[in-house]
Amino acid sequence: MRRFGGRNTLERLARFGYGARGFVYCVVGALAVLAALGAGGQTGDSKGALRAVLGGPFGPVVVGAIAAGLLAFALWRLVEGITDADRRGTGPKGLAVRGAHLVSAGIYAGLALTAASLSLGLGLKGGDGMQDWSAWLMAKPLGRWLLALIGLCVIAGGFGFLGKAVAGDVTERLALSRNQCRWIRPVGRFGYAARGIAFLIIGGFLVVAAWYQRSSEVRGLGEAFRLLRRQEYGWILLAVVAAGHVAFGAFGLIQARYRHIDAPDIDETDDAAARAFRAFR
């Protein structure tokens, strides 16, 4: 892909995508914080956040821009997974991260379609998407075990987020000075920790659903928030984890501006995709 204005177009799309994702998580977390404090918010997921934005000023336009940004982020995740743009390597850890990027591409593409549907006034499909696909999966041979495996992978991802929050360098890919990273690092750590807790809970829901063979046990981020709220001193737990999601969103906005993105040219992307296809044949 040719450079425009001195920057790779894929890089522009990636930055737009990080910004859109960051904005969504800021809204998700802010609404949950308000709910924890009894100030009228709601503990919902990304779709709930999109609905809230839709009801605000210029709602359809803003949600339409978010849809475009999330689609751009899904494209970037796909490119990351295929081309190894971040130089993760072909070791077990690198392949796991690249595989997670491919899964992330599908998830954010679906959320982009939801946002586009809302923006165009088409509404959302009825039912719960996570419960629908889990019911479909469990109806297949070995589907119960596959769902349990997915749940365990989500739990592993949660521990990965927590590990990065505790011991990882969340600012390693930011083009900022050491002094600037000093105040950004706690924001990133807080955000990754909150996402880790959410992943552990959501993964647990999936494993429980597989164990009891009931897709109704599958829950998303909104129910994870509500589970925290039901615990002793739950409003404090919810407020902390929700604030962490605001931090995760804010960190995404920082990534949109300062993350190092080594986006390949489109010809290089095509070649990498062809190599990946041949490797799996």
Side-chain angles (χ1 to χ4, degrees):
M1 188 171 288
R2 300 298 181 187
R3 291 184 178 272
F4 175 74
R7 302 180 75 176
N8 186 293
T9 305
L10 261 180
E11 179 186 344
R12 289 178 176 272
L13 290 173
R15 295 192 185 283
F16 184 30
Y18 275 110
R21 186 187 68 158
F23 179 77
V24 169
Y25 279 111
C26 282
V27 175
V28 168
L31 290 174
V33 168
L34 291 175
L37 299 178
Q42 55 185 343
T43 52
D45 55 9
S46 300
K47 293 179 181 178
L50 291 173
R51 291 191 188 96
V53 173
L54 187 68
F58 307 103
V61 176
V62 176
V63 173
I66 291 173
L70 293 174
L71 189 60
F73 187 74
L75 175 62
W76 171 241
R77 281 300 197 221
L78 182 64
V79 170
E80 278 187 303
I82 292 175
T83 69
D84 193 19
D86 281 337
R87 307 294 190 269
R88 302 285 183 178
T90 56
K93 182 178 179 180
L95 291 176
V97 172
R98 291 170 65 183
H101 284 164
L102 294 177
V103 173
S104 176
I107 292 173
Y108 283 105
L111 187 58
L113 290 176
T114 297
S117 177
L118 284 172
S119 176
L120 295 173
L122 302 178
L124 293 172
K125 295 180 180 178
D128 187 297
M130 290 186 67
Q131 292 183 1
D132 290 343
W133 72 256
S134 61
W136 173 85
L137 181 59
M138 282 194 288
K140 305 299 179 184
L142 301 179
R144 173 188 180 186
W145 303 106
L146 288 173
L147 184 63
L149 179 60
I150 292 171
L152 291 174
C153 288
V154 173
I155 291 172
F159 281 116
F161 274 119
L162 290 174
K164 190 164 186 176
V166 173
D169 185 2
V170 297
T171 61
E172 63 178 338
R173 298 184 186 278
L174 297 182
L176 292 172
S177 69
R178 182 175 300 179
N179 286 335
Q180 289 171 320
C181 288
R182 187 175 301 167
W183 66 267
I184 292 175
R185 189 172 291 112
V187 175
R189 290 188 185 280
F190 187 26
Y192 275 99
R195 288 298 288 161
I197 292 171
F199 267 52
L200 292 179
I201 297 173
I202 294 170
F205 287 147
L206 292 169
V207 172
V208 169
W211 179 266
Y212 291 107
Q213 301 187 61
R214 292 201 300 262
S215 62
S216 59
E217 299 291 341
V218 175
R219 297 287 190 271
L221 179 59
E223 188 58 35
F225 283 152
R226 286 186 281 273
L227 178 65
L228 291 171
R229 185 66 178 87
R230 291 194 293 268
Q231 308 307 307
E232 188 175 5
Y233 301 106
W235 72 272
I236 297 177
L237 292 174
L238 175 58
V240 171
V241 175
H245 279 73
V246 175
F248 185 77
F251 190 72
L253 296 177
I254 294 170
Q255 287 177 304
R257 176 63 179 86
Y258 295 108
R259 191 185 194 276
H260 174 72
I261 297 176
D262 188 13
D265 289 336
I266 194 66
D267 291 340
E268 295 174 0
T269 305
D270 290 343
D271 292 342
R275 288 195 299 269
F277 177 74
R278 287 195 297 269
F280 284 102
R281 288 185 61 182

